[in-house]
Amino acid sequence: MAESKPVATPRGRLPAELTSFVGRRRELAATRRLLSSSRLLTLTGSGGVGKTRLALRMAAEVRRTFADGVWFVELAALHDPALLGHTLAGALELSQVSANPTADLAEYLEDKHLLLVLDNCEQLAEPCAVLVSKLLAAAPQLRILATSRHVLGVEGEQVLSVPPLSTPPGEVPFADADQYESLVLFVDRVRAVLPEFELDERNRAQVIEVCRQLDGVPLALELAAVWMRTLSLAQILDRLEDRFRLLASGRQAGPARQQALDTAVTWSYDLCSPGERLLWERLSVFSGGFDLEGAEEVCSGDGIARDEVLDLVAGLVNKSIITRTMATDHSVAWYDMLTTISQYGGMRLAEAGRTREFRLRHRDYCRRLAAGWAEDSFGPRQADWFIRMRREHDNLRAALDFCLAEPGEGQAALEIAAPIWNFWFAGYLREGHRYLSRAIVAAPEQTPTRALGLWAGSYLSMFLGETEQLTRLLRECEELAERYDDDRLRARIAEVAGHALIYQGDLPGAIGRLEVGLAGFRAVGDNLGEFDILILLSAATFFLGDPRVEEFSRQAYELADSRGAVSSKAYALWSVGIVQWRDHDQVEAATRSFREAIRLWQPLNDRTGIGFCVQALSWCAGSAAPTEQAARLMGASRAVWRSSGAHVDETTPYSQFDDRTEARIRAAIGDAAFDEAFRLGAAYSFDQAVSLALGEETLRERTAKPGMAGRLTRREHEIAVLIGEGLSNREIAGRLVISQRTAETHVEHILSKLGFASRTQVARWVAEHPER
C-alpha cells in the first residue's frame, strides 16, 4: 500500500455502516499492517464476531490509497460456484464477460490498483481460493481482504483471527469502564432502544456480567441489548443463565464465543411469540431479503394468518431479528436477516421437517413474480418492476438453483427464467443465459413453456454473440410454434431473426422479417412485442437511410408514452434521437433526447440502454465538434458497453458509425491525441462515463480552479487529502505505512509549495480542489 496512487474522489462500492463502529483499535492496526505487507488477508472467526464490520471499516479507511477503488462483494446469498466469477465481475461493473469470467477478470484487473473485499467466503471456500489465486497471479497491484469462518488456504495468505470484544473482569472501577469494548458496544446499543439509559454504579455490575456471559460477541450483545426495551438487566441475566444450562446439558460444549452466540440467538428465539418463531423459520428460505408481500405469500397459512404477517414482521424488526432498509421512490420497504440469524431459522425449519415445503412455496412465489413481470412490466409500473426485480435477484437465483437441483423441477425453472428475458437483458445477460441454457436441458419435454424458454435463450444468445446456439434454439422454437399453431411465438421468432440480421449487416432482410413480426404482434394484441419491433425497425431503416425511420420512431414513442412505460420510453427517445441526429441541424435536439433517455434509465440501472445512448452521443459529439472531448466520449462509450455485457457496439451497423466518427475526429486532432483521449475515456468507470455523456464532467472541468494542484507530486497530493481529513503526522504515517519523519517532511514540502503556514489552510485548499 505504500506505493499507492491518490484519488480525490474514491471509486468503488462500499455499503453504508448503519450503526456506530465500536473499538477494535488493535484489530484495525493489525489489519492495516498485514494488508500492507501481503496481498491476501483473511479475517477469520465464528459467526457474529464482527468480521464484516471490521473489514468494512478497514476498507473505508484505506480506500483513498487505491487508485482504482475499493469494491465490496457480498457472497452470503451465492450458492452456485459457477456464478462466482460473474458476481465479482458485476460488482466491479464489468458485465461484458465470456463463458470464462475468471480469464476476463484477470485481464481487466491486470493493471488495476484496487482492493477487493470478499465477504462470507466460507460456503464457497474452495472456488474462492481458486479464483483468488488466479487473480492475484494476474494482477500484481490487486489486494484482497476476505472474511470467512475458515482459512482459504491460498499460498501467501495472511490470516487474522478476529476475537470477541474485550470484556471487563468481575470488578472494574467505574472510571475504567469505557476501556472495555463489549461494555461500550452494549451500552451504545441499549441507548438505541432506551435513550435514557445510563451506565452508573447501580447497574455497572449487571452490565459487566451480561458482557462476560456473552463473551464479548458483538451479535450476541446486540441481540441482548434489544430486550432492554421490555426486560430489566436482572431478567436478562436470569434468562441467559437458564439458556446456558440448557445448552450445556443438550450437547458437548463448544468454544465460549460459539456458546455465547448460540445462547443469545436461541434465547432470542425462545422470547419470541409462537407466531414470530414460525415466521423466523419460514423467512429463512428467502435469499438476500424480502418485502412484506413476499413474506405474506410464502410464510402465511398453517399457524400464521395472512393479515398477521405485518404485525409479526414488526415484532421481529423490534427484536432485531430482521432489519429494514429504506424504501425509494420506486420500491416498498425491504427486510433482511443476518446470515447467522437466517441459518438458525433454517435449522429450526429443518428440525420441523418442513424445509422442502417452504422451498416449494418460495419457488412458486418467484414463479408468480416472473409471470407478473411479463404481464405488467410494459405499463406505468415498469420502473417499479425493474427495481423490484433487482431487489429480488438473489431470491430468483435461489429459486432457480433449487429447481435445477431438484429432479422434475426443470419446467418450473423455465417458468421463472424465460418470462423475465428482458430483465436479464437489462443487466444480467450472461447469468440469464446460463440459467436458461441449464433449464432448457433440465426440461426436455416439448411444451409451450419450453418453446418460450427456447425463444428467450435464443434472444440472449444473440446479444452474447453465441451464433451457433442462437440458430439451434431458434430452429427448435420454429418447430414448436408450428406444432402449437402459436402466432405470438411466430412473431417473436421473426423479431429475433430480424434482430440478428441487423447485427449481421443484412438490413433489407432484417426489415422484411421485422415487418412480418410487427403484423403478427399487432394481430395478437401484444403491445410490448409491437414496441420492440418498432424500435428495431427504427434502427434498421436508420442504418439503411430509409425515410420510414421517422414514422417508426414516432410510433414507438407514442406507444411507450401512452402506456406510461418509462424504460421503453427511453428506448423510444433513442430512436427519436438518431432521427434528429441524421439532420445535422438538430444535433442539440438529439443530444437532449439521448441525455433524457439516460436519466430515465439511471434509476433502473439499465446499462444496455445507457450503452446505446452514450454511443449515440459520441456520434453527435464527433459530428458537431470533433475534439479530444469527443474522442474521450467514444472511449467512454466502450466503457459503458463493457459494463453492460452486450456486444452491440461490435456489430456491423453500429460499428460503421463508430468508424466514421473516429475517422472524422482523427482528421481533426491527429492520431496521437485521439488515441490518448480514447484511452482515457475507455478506462472510466461506468459512473464516470455516464457523467461525461451527460455533460456533468465537462461542467466540473470548466469550473475547476487550475494552478497549485499541479505543483504537488502524487504522494504530496495524497498526504494533502489526509491532512484535509484531519489526520496528524503520526496517523498519516500509520495510514500510508511510512515513517513519521517521512510524513513530516512531506507535510513541510506541501506547506512550502502552496505557500501556506498552517494545516487548516491545506484542509481548506483540499476542499476547494477536490480533483487534481
Side-chain angles (χ1 to χ4, degrees):
M1 295 193 319
E3 298 303 319
S4 58
K5 303 174 184 178
V7 284
T9 303
R11 289 182 56 196
R13 180 184 298 162
L14 286 178
E17 294 181 284
L18 301 179
T19 56
S20 58
F21 185 85
V22 174
R24 296 294 195 190
R25 285 180 294 179
R26 291 184 299 275
E27 289 79 13
L28 283 169
T31 302
R32 184 180 293 108
R33 174 177 53 79
L34 291 170
L35 197 57
S36 68
S37 61
S38 61
R39 298 180 56 220
L40 170 62
L41 172 61
T42 303
L43 305 179
T44 64
S46 59
V49 82
K51 302 181 295 294
T52 300
R53 288 301 302 272
L54 178 60
L56 282 172
R57 175 48 60 105
M58 187 75 264
E61 289 193 1
V62 303
R63 66 188 307 178
R64 286 187 176 275
T65 68
F66 289 90
D68 295 300
V70 174
W71 304 83
F72 181 84
V73 189
E74 170 58 71
L75 300 176
L78 185 64
H79 300 281
D80 183 354
L83 290 178
L84 178 60
H86 295 292
T87 300
L88 261 65
L92 288 166
E93 301 178 349
L94 177 70
S95 298
Q96 197 174 74
V97 293
S98 66
N100 182 8
T102 300
D104 299 311
L105 281 165
E107 180 180 357
Y108 174 71
L109 292 169
E110 184 177 8
D111 61 349
K112 298 292 188 296
H113 181 250
L114 59 77
L115 174 67
L116 267 181
V117 182
L118 304 181
D119 192 39
N120 289 306
C121 295
E122 56 271 357
Q123 61 188 9
L124 293 174
E126 186 174 342
C128 279
V130 172
L131 180 59
V132 162
S133 297
K134 292 180 178 179
L135 296 184
L136 290 173
Q141 296 186 91
L142 170 67
R143 291 176 193 268
I144 296 177
L145 178 60
T147 74
S148 175
R149 298 188 188 186
H150 316 292
V151 174
L152 296 182
V154 176
E155 183 178 355
E157 176 184 22
Q158 291 278 358
V159 178
L160 178 65
S161 178
V162 179
L165 298 174
S166 59
T167 55
E171 292 293 333
V172 59
F174 181 74
D176 295 339
D178 61 359
Q179 295 181 14
Y180 297 96
E181 296 167 334
S182 61
L183 192 146
V184 175
L185 177 71
F186 183 73
V187 171
D188 178 82
R189 299 306 190 253
V190 170
R191 285 176 179 159
V193 299
L194 204 65
E196 65 272 18
F197 180 81
E198 294 290 341
L199 181 67
D200 54 33
E201 289 290 354
R202 293 172 299 170
N203 58 27
R204 176 172 54 89
Q206 291 175 316
V207 170
I208 288 172
E209 188 58 25
V210 169
C211 295
R212 286 166 54 80
Q213 288 268 23
L214 296 177
D215 200 46
V217 175
L219 178 55
L221 290 166
E222 292 181 342
L223 289 172
V226 170
W227 287 104
M228 284 291 290
R229 183 185 283 117
T230 52
L231 299 175
S232 69
L233 282 166
Q235 289 173 308
I236 288 175
L237 282 169
D238 287 344
R239 282 158 175 75
L240 284 175
E241 289 170 2
D242 289 344
R243 175 49 52 189
F244 267 115
R245 283 195 294 271
L246 286 172
L247 187 66
S249 64
R251 60 171 172 78
Q252 185 177 356
R257 69 185 68 171
Q258 189 60 52
Q259 289 187 54
L261 184 60
D262 289 350
T263 295
V265 175
T266 306
W267 173 61
S268 291
Y269 177 86
D270 291 342
L271 285 171
C272 290
S273 69
E276 288 171 343
R277 293 177 201 169
L278 284 177
L279 185 63
W280 180 346
E281 294 169 7
R282 297 173 185 184
L283 288 173
S284 67
V285 300
F286 285 95
S287 184
F290 54 91
D291 61 16
L292 181 61
E293 181 182 337
E296 291 171 338
E297 290 263 348
V298 175
C299 303
S300 63
D302 193 15
I304 300 178
R306 189 181 181 98
D307 59 8
E308 293 177 329
V309 173
L310 174 58
D311 287 340
L312 295 175
V313 166
L316 292 177
V317 169
N318 289 334
K319 296 173 179 66
S320 291
I321 303 304
I322 62 180
T323 56
R324 177 186 181 276
T325 59
M326 296 302 292
T328 68
D329 291 342
H330 293 283
S331 66
V332 297
W334 190 253
Y335 306 93
D336 202 359
M337 280 184 170
L338 290 174
T339 302
T340 300
I341 301 293
S342 178
Q343 288 174 342
Y344 182 87
M347 178 189 73
R348 288 286 190 167
L349 192 65
E351 288 174 354
R354 307 191 70 178
T355 300
R356 189 173 190 279
E357 173 189 349
F358 283 93
R359 288 284 176 203
L360 289 170
R361 295 186 67 170
H362 181 261
R363 173 209 64 188
D364 291 341
Y365 168 70
C366 291
R367 186 157 52 184
R368 285 191 292 273
L369 269 181
W373 162 278
E375 180 69 24
D376 192 38
S377 64
F378 187 61
R381 297 182 61 224
Q382 189 175 62
D384 299 352
W385 270 108
F386 267 98
I387 291 173
R388 180 179 184 179
M389 295 297 272
R390 288 187 185 280
R391 278 188 153 186
E392 298 278 9
H393 183 202
D394 285 331
N395 282 315
L396 295 168
R397 275 180 169 177
L400 286 166
D401 289 340
F402 170 78
C403 291
L404 292 169
E406 287 278 309
E409 289 293 327
Q411 190 87 353
L414 279 177
E415 290 171 350
I416 295 171
I420 60 173
W421 56 272
N422 39 355
F423 168 72
W424 301 124
F425 164 77
Y428 304 98
L429 270 172
R430 184 64 66 177
E431 180 178 331
H433 177 262
R434 171 176 164 76
Y435 275 126
L436 278 164
S437 298
R438 293 174 64 198
I440 288 168
V441 172
E445 303 85 359
Q446 291 196 318
T447 64
T449 300
R450 178 175 173 84
L452 178 61
L454 291 166
W455 174 80
S458 70
Y459 186 89
L460 298 189
S461 297
M462 172 184 61
F463 276 98
L464 291 170
E466 303 283 351
T467 306
E468 185 277 329
Q469 187 181 35
L470 163 65
T471 303
R472 175 169 48 83
L473 295 180
L474 212 54
R475 185 182 303 118
E476 185 183 347
C477 191
E478 288 172 338
E479 294 172 1
L480 293 182
E482 295 308 313
R483 171 180 293 186
Y484 299 116
D485 193 23
D486 189 333
D487 287 336
R488 186 183 188 192
L489 186 57
R490 290 188 183 104
R492 283 178 154 166
I493 292 168
E495 175 189 356
V496 173
H499 205 157
L501 289 172
I502 291 178
Y503 290 165
Q504 294 165 19
D506 182 1
L507 298 174
I511 292 171
R513 292 305 305 271
L514 291 171
E515 288 180 324
V516 170
L518 181 62
F521 280 128
R522 284 175 170 167
V524 298
D526 187 330
N527 292 135
L528 175 59
E530 178 185 356
F531 172 81
D532 287 344
I533 290 218
L534 286 170
I535 292 293
L536 293 174
L537 282 167
S538 298
T541 52
F542 167 74
F543 294 136
L544 197 60
D546 188 320
R548 290 178 293 172
V549 59
E550 192 163 353
E551 177 63 16
F552 289 133
S553 297
R554 183 188 61 78
Q555 290 180 23
Y557 183 86
E558 290 176 352
L559 180 56
D561 193 48
S562 69
R563 298 281 299 183
V566 172
S567 177
S568 299
K569 183 177 178 180
Y571 276 103
L573 282 167
W574 172 83
S575 71
V576 168
I578 58 174
V579 173
Q580 293 168 328
W581 175 65
R582 186 185 59 178
D583 181 352
H584 283 203
D585 292 335
Q586 296 191 57
V587 170
E588 290 186 7
T591 299
R592 287 194 298 271
S593 294
F594 297 138
R595 287 177 173 173
E596 182 183 348
I598 290 173
R599 291 189 178 98
L600 289 174
W601 275 318
Q602 279 182 303
L604 313 182
N605 198 31
D606 185 338
R607 299 191 172 200
T608 303
I610 291 173
F612 280 111
C613 283
V614 176
Q615 182 181 32
L617 282 166
S618 74
W619 301 341
C620 287
S623 60
T627 62
E628 291 182 15
Q629 179 85 349
R632 187 147 52 104
L633 188 53
M634 285 198 73
S637 169
R638 183 70 53 84
V640 174
W641 280 123
R642 181 183 68 230
S643 175
S644 80
H647 292 255
V648 177
D649 60 320
E650 300 172 6
T651 59
T652 302
Y654 293 88
S655 63
Q656 68 176 327
F657 283 94
D658 282 342
D659 293 343
R660 294 177 193 174
T661 303
E662 178 179 336
R664 187 179 298 114
I665 300 171
R666 285 185 181 277
I669 66 173
D671 290 341
F674 176 90
D675 290 339
E676 175 59 22
F678 184 93
R679 183 198 62 77
L680 181 63
Y684 275 7
S685 69
F686 173 80
D687 289 337
Q688 288 174 317
V690 171
S691 292
L692 178 65
L694 292 175
E696 295 167 357
E697 183 181 276
T698 304
L699 178 61
R700 287 197 301 270
E701 289 177 351
R702 283 202 305 266
T703 58
K705 298 177 182 178
M708 291 183 288
R711 294 162 58 183
L712 300 184
T713 66
R714 287 185 170 183
R715 175 60 91 185
E716 287 167 351
H717 190 276
E718 182 178 21
I719 291 174
V721 170
L722 297 178
I723 293 172
E725 293 179 5
L727 273 64
S728 67
N729 290 345
R730 181 178 180 181
E731 290 169 330
I732 291 171
R735 177 76 63 88
L736 301 180
V737 198
I738 58 178
S739 71
Q740 185 172 337
R741 180 56 196 155
T742 300
E744 291 169 352
T745 300
H746 281 306
V747 172
E748 291 169 2
H749 288 168
I750 291 167
L751 292 169
S752 174
K753 285 186 176 183
L754 299 181
F756 292 156
S758 72
R759 300 168 78 92
T760 302
Q761 289 176 296
V762 175
R764 188 179 302 117
W765 176 84
V766 169
E768 294 173 350
H769 297 76
E771 297 180 359
R772 286 194 69 199

